[in-house]
């Protein structure tokens, strides 16, 4: 069935509410303060997002204290957050970890953790990638050790979103010849966490070291399929965030091109600049189609969801990076300064391109899925 | 420019050895050595005798460098902060300066004792630098300057600034400009750092409030500043676009190649590796062709100041650099997510001790390559209009008095 890309009035309202909230709470000064802070985001804003807007539990079922919305609402939220360069644990906690729990964890764990996420009280990180740098499950080498009923983890997890501040860690490791999901408490013995000095200051990442760290297996059997879908859902959400960032870059560029005069004319009257803006527009529109398609496919549980997610991540990554790079160029010397926001988008764009697998990785996945 | 003399390569090598017999780079500091190098006419052999040169072809400069490196393990290169002084300050002083200025300024530019900066751009005038607004008004033997400059690289270290200001707002923009050499220590000059994408501040804002410049420090005549500025800008493009590395596979591409060869096993799939290898190879090709093209341009270049051809290398180099360092980050893959040096706001460059850190720094820094010294769009306009003779854009500012042209 063809996906209809119609947003309802409720959707538009949700978007307007989130935009207004973020304009008030994640304006440029707020972003700069948050990114320089120790935790990497503003706790008060995160609490408000959870309590006032119900965003932390947006896709969590009502039975677990969430809003029970679908990926269409999520795409709207991600797009707005990308636009505002929000610094927050949303992607790691409300998207990745919520999905991992809902798809792969046992009921006890869901009951125990999901309400805490929805209420904004718990920050939860999914730790999957390892220092080798591969994002898919094929990159997971950590092997869970079993002795009797006790389970422990040893090794390193890399690029863990908000891993330095998480209250609960969900760790992906090998067990019984398959993949399992393990719960580790933040004060567990043998756990060491370091925040990575990141290229993109607006998103915090951590490296986690485990040394015979006690863990509890929360998935049954081989959780590969569930976690693969979790990762793909993360990818689709990130693509929507990239669209929001790219759209904002386009707007910044067009506004500047209309108002900046050189040689007595707006720079946007020169085709060199006008065509850059027009090309950005085409790419942003394509990126929207890609990201919306992936998120609608997730919402409808469409059978080509994995395909759509890979397509979206590969296209949106490049569109965003290109838009951000052109934004610097169109702003001239100003675009290269610390005080102008262009560099914040540029760094977010590059880091998002690398996060969860770069475009060549996702094209390779897509090629396999569609038989190229 | 004086007529070019000829001298055999052997004789030039002999003169270089005479310099080395008097002072040896391994035994003295950079300033001491470079002062002597200047006195021997071996600073810029294409400059006239008495001004750091021997009146030879610019091609002969490499002979001097080669002879020095044959006899010394230590090379006193051009000091990094002196690139603007050496690349742009020296040629403009030589072409337009008084004998006194040449005698006093050229040796200190070459030795690195005095840093120079270029004060053209203003908040309202970048690409359209001839549209600038800083005012210079005559008062007795002095000029009094008021206004603001921006993006002034190394202004905080500089002793002298090459400055363009408006002496007549009632004529079309190019005709109302004059060119000055500004004493950066003069009262009323205020330099404030401007931080950039990497957190460092290479450049500054400079505010001038009733700053006095003696008339004798004007280069060229009143109202001829644009012609003088063109000399500076053409030299800037050569200094910036100046032609890639000297050696095949050297310079930036060597860094990228090293990153590639030492990449982490397993960080990319076999299919990704094939794509990355092709991208690295494309960068290598661009790098090599830039080197060869510059070599060809140098061979064709007669003595004197460069023409619009400088824009070919400037454009190619800027775009290539950005691509090259983007490729480097993609080679690093996920490790590109970390920026180990951090973003401390300060006036020096962040630490870049390893090839990875260098690549990450360059990934950010290279974004300026297509902006500084004339943007890539402006370079394409120059190539299209001045080199290929294509018709220009309709001009709204051409024959109007400067003060009547709209500005942002
Ligand atoms: C790192 C760095 C160091 C610098 N150092 C110095 C220095 O030491 N001294 C100094 O004087 N200046 C310096 N500059 C300034 C530099 O020369 C200017 O930034 C540059 O000329 C562009 O001007 P602008 O920033 O005002 O951009 P603008 O001129 O406003 O350009 C904005 C955009 O419009 C485009 N554009 C403008 N006009 C046209 C046109 N006619 N056709 C098509 N496109 C057009 C540009 O290409 C650009 O994309 C430096 C800049 C940087 C980034």
């Amino acid at each position: 069935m063809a996906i209809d890309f119609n947003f309802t009035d409720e959707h538009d309202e949700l978007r307007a509410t989130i935009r207004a909230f973020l304009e008030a709470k994640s304006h440029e000064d707020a972003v700069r303060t948050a990114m320089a802070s120790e935790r990497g985001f503003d706790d008060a804003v995160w609490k408000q997002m959870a309590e006032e807007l119900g965003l932390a539990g947006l896709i969590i079922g009502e039975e677990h204290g969430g809003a029970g919305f679908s990926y269409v609402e999520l795409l709207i939220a991600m797009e707005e957050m990308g636009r505002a360069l929000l610094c927050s644990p949303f992607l790691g906690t409300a998207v990745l970890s919520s999905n991992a729990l809902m798809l792969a964890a046992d009921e006890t764990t869901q009951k125990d953790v999901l309400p805490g996420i929805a209420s904004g009280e718990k920050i939860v990180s999914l730790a999957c990638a390892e220092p080798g740098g591969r994002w898919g499950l094929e990159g997971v080498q950590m092997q869970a050790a079993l002795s009797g009923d006790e389970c422990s983890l040893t090794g390193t997890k890399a690029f863990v979103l908000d891993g330095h501040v998480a209250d609960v860690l969900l760790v992906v490791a090998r067990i019984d010849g398959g993949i399992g999901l393990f719960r580790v408490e933040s004060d567990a013995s043998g756990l060491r966490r370091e925040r990575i000095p990141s290229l993109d200051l607006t998103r915090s990442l951590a490296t986690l070291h485990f040394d015979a760290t006690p863990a509890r297996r929360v998935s049954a059997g081989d959780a590969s399929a569930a976690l693969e879908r979790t990762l793909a859902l993360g990818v689709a959400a990130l693509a929507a965030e990239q669209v929001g960032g790219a759209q904002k870059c386009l707007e910044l560029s067009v506004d500047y091109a209309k108002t900046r005069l050189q040689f007595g004319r707006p720079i946007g009257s020169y085709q060199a600049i006008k065509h850059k803006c027009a090309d950005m527009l085409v790419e942003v529109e394509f990126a929207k189609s890609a990201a919306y398609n992936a998120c609608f496919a997730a919402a409808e549980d469409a059978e080509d969801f994995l395909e759509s997610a890979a397509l979206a991540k590969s296209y949106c990554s490049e569109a965003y990076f290109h838009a951000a790079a052109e934004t610097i160029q169109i702003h001239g010397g100003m675009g290269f300064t610390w005080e102008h926001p262009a560099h914040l988008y540029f760094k977010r764009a590059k880091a998002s391109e690398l996060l969860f697998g770069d475009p060549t990785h996702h094209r390779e996945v897509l090629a396999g899925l569609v038989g190229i | 420019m004086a007529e070019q003399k000829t001298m055999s390569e052997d004789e030039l090598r002999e003169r270089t050895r005479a310099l080395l017999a008097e002072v040896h780079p391994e035994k003295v500091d950079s300033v001491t050595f470079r002062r002597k190098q200047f006195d021997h006419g071996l600073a810029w052999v294409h400059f006239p005798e008495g001004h750091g040169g021997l009146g030879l072809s610019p091609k002969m400069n490499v002979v001097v460098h080669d002879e020095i490196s044959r006899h010394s393990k230590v090379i006193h290169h051009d000091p990094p902060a002196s690139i603007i002084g050496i690349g742009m300050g020296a040629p403009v002083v030589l072409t337009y300066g008084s004998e006194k200025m040449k005698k006093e300024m050229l040796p200190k530019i070459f030795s690195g004792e005095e840093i120079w900066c270029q004060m053209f751009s203003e908040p309202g005038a970048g690409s359209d630098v001839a549209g600038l607004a800083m005012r210079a008004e005559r008062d007795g033997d002095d000029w009094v300057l008021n206004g603001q400059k921006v993006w002034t690289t190394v202004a905080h270290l500089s002793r002298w600034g090459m400055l363009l200001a408006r002496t007549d707002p009632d004529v079309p923009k190019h005709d109302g400009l004059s060119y000055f050499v500004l004493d950066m220590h003069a009262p009323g000059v205020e330099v404030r750092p401007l931080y950039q994408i990497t957190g460092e501040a290479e450049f500054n804002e400079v505010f001038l409030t009733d700053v006095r410049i003696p008339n004798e420090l004007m280069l060229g005549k009143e109202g001829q500043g644009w012609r003088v500025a063109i000399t500076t800008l053409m030299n800037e493009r050569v200094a910036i676009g100046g032609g890639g590395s000297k050696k095949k596979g050297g310079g930036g591409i060597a860094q990228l190649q090293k990153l590639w060869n030492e990449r982490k096993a397993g960080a990319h799939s076999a299919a990704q590796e094939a794509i990355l290898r092709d991208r690295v190879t494309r960068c290598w090709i661009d790098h090599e062709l830039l080197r060869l093209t510059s070599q060809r341009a140098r061979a064709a270049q007669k003595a004197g100041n460069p023409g619009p051809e400088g824009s070919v290398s400037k454009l190619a180099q800027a775009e290539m650099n950005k691509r090259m360092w983007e490729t480097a980050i993609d080679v690093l893959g996920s490790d590109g997510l970390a920026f180990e040096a951090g973003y401390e706001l300060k006036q020096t460059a962040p630490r870049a001790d390893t090839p990875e850190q260098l690549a990450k720094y360059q990934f950010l820094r290279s974004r300026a390559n297509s902006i500084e010294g004339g943007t890539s769009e402006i370079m394409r306009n120059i190539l299209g209009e001045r080199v290929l003779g294509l018709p220009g854009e309709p001009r709204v500012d051409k024959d109007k008095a400067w003060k009547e042209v709209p500005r942002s």
Side-chain angles (χ1 to χ4, degrees), chain A residues 33 147 289 361:
Chain A
T33 307
S147 71
S289 304
H361 167 74

Side-chain angles (χ1 to χ4, degrees), chain A residues 131-135 159 197 199 201 260-263 265 276 325 329 334 336-338 347 350-351 358 360-361 364, chain B residues 123-124 126-128 151 195 197 264 266-267 269 272 330 334 337-339 343 367 370-371 377 393-394 396 408:
Chain A
R134 305 294 291 275
W135 293 90
F159 316 113
L199 174 73
L201 293 175
R260 170 72 171 170
L261 302 182
Q262 288 291 276
F263 307 95
R265 287 168 46 179
K276 271 188 201 302
Q329 184 65 24
M334 193 63 143
F336 186 66
T337 60
W338 186 265
K347 291 166 184 168
K350 188 65 204 181
D358 71 10
T360 56
H361 167 74
E364 196 182 345
Chain B
S127 297
D128 180 20
W151 323 127
Y195 298 96
I197 189 168
K264 227 188 247 176
S269 71
Q272 283 179 298
D330 291 343
S334 312
L337 284 165
F339 190 70
Y343 295 109
R367 301 324 293 189
S370 53
I371 300 169
E377 291 71 39
E393 291 263 355
V396 297
S408 51

Side-chain angles (χ1 to χ4, degrees), chain A residues 256 260 262-263 267 270 272-273 329-334 336, chain B residues 84 118-122 125-128 150-153 203 365 368 371-375 377-378 381:
Chain A
Y256 194 68
R260 170 72 171 170
Q262 288 291 276
F263 307 95
I267 56 169
Y270 301 112
I273 300 301
Q329 184 65 24
I330 290 170
H331 283 77
M334 193 63 143
F336 186 66
Chain B
I84 293 170
Q118 180 195 322
M119 306 172 73
F120 288 3
S121 306
E122 296 182 6
S127 297
D128 180 20
V150 75
W151 323 127
T152 320
T153 307
F203 50 35
R365 178 60 182 82
I371 300 169
E372 58 197 335
T375 68
E377 291 71 39
I378 294 299
N381 287 346

Side-chain angles (χ1 to χ4, degrees), chain B residues 34-321:
Chain B
R34 290 174 68 93
R35 270 196 196 160
K36 280 283 179 228
Q37 187 177 353
F38 185 94
D39 293 344
H40 280 245
L42 299 170
W44 307 289
V45 297
H46 57 295
F47 272 39
E49 277 180 77
H51 293 312
L54 297 167
L56 306 178
S57 151
K59 279 192 267 183
M60 301 291 272
N61 281 310
V62 293
V63 174
V64 176
H65 298 150
D66 183 62
E67 193 62 25
I68 294 176
S69 50
R70 279 188 196 191
H71 294 96
S72 177
K73 286 200 216 43
V74 177
I75 305 290
H76 294 305
H77 292 288
D78 292 348
S82 297
I83 289 175
I84 293 170
I86 290 171
M88 300 160 231
V92 82
V93 169
L94 179 70
T95 313
Y96 294 98
S98 62
E99 270 310 297
K100 183 163 178 279
M101 288 172 85
K102 290 185 209 174
K103 278 275 173 249
E104 286 175 8
M105 292 173 166
L106 293 176
K108 289 181 177 163
I109 291 178
F110 185 75
S111 68
E113 286 162 276
E114 289 182 347
I115 311 293
W116 283 55
C117 62
Q118 180 195 322
M119 306 172 73
F120 288 3
S121 306
E122 296 182 6
S127 297
D128 180 20
V129 69
L132 59 82
M134 179 174 281
R135 273 295 266 143
E137 285 166 301
R138 187 73 191 239
D139 181 31
D141 284 342
D142 291 343
W143 291 88
V144 180
L145 281 86
N146 280 289
Q148 186 197 341
K149 295 290 174 182
V150 75
W151 323 127
T152 320
T153 307
V154 299
H156 56 297
L157 306 174
S158 291
R159 179 61 219 278
W160 300 104
M162 295 168 263
L163 181 143
L164 207 50
R166 187 154 306 279
T167 39
D168 186 354
D170 297 320
V171 292
K173 63 180 183 182
H174 291 108
D175 303 333
L177 297 171
S178 300
Y179 196 114
F180 300 90
V181 175
L182 167 70
D183 178 352
M184 297 296 286
H185 298 166
V189 178
E190 193 201 337
V191 179
R192 290 186 207 157
L194 259 180
Y195 298 96
Q196 63 205 43
I197 189 168
T198 50
E200 77 193 290
E202 289 170 68
F203 50 35
N204 304 269
E205 300 178 281
V206 185
F207 297 86
L208 269 62
T209 315
D210 294 330
V211 174
R212 302 188 81 86
I213 304 185
N215 188 49
E216 65 195 34
L217 290 184
M218 181 186 274
L219 294 184
K221 293 201 174 57
E222 181 182 345
Q224 288 187 346
W226 183 247
R227 200 194 301 166
V228 183
I230 290 286
T231 314
T232 319
L233 291 173
M234 292 300 179
N235 279 300
E236 176 177 28
R237 268 148 221 176
V238 170
I240 291 178
S245 58
K246 302 277 177 290
K247 278 205 327 268
K248 186 197 281 191
I253 197 66
Q255 299 289 337
L256 176 57
Q257 192 167 350
K258 192 168 154 62
L259 270 190
W260 168 254
N261 288 332
E262 293 169 7
R263 71 195 177 279
K264 227 188 247 176
H268 308 282
S269 71
Q272 283 179 298
E273 293 229 322
I275 293 164
L276 282 167
R277 185 166 184 240
D278 182 66
R279 285 176 61 196
V280 172
T281 310
R282 279 171 186 267
C283 291
W284 198 93
I285 290 172
D286 288 347
H287 205 271
E288 177 64 357
L289 293 180
L290 180 69
R291 186 183 74 86
L292 295 173
T293 305
S294 307
Q295 198 170 303
R296 226 155 46 81
R298 267 197 302 276
Q301 191 193 329
K302 309 270 181 304
N305 287 312
E309 317 77 55
S311 301
V312 172
S313 305
K314 162 72 173 86
L315 173 63
Q317 176 144 333
E319 297 304 315
M320 178 196 78
N321 267 349

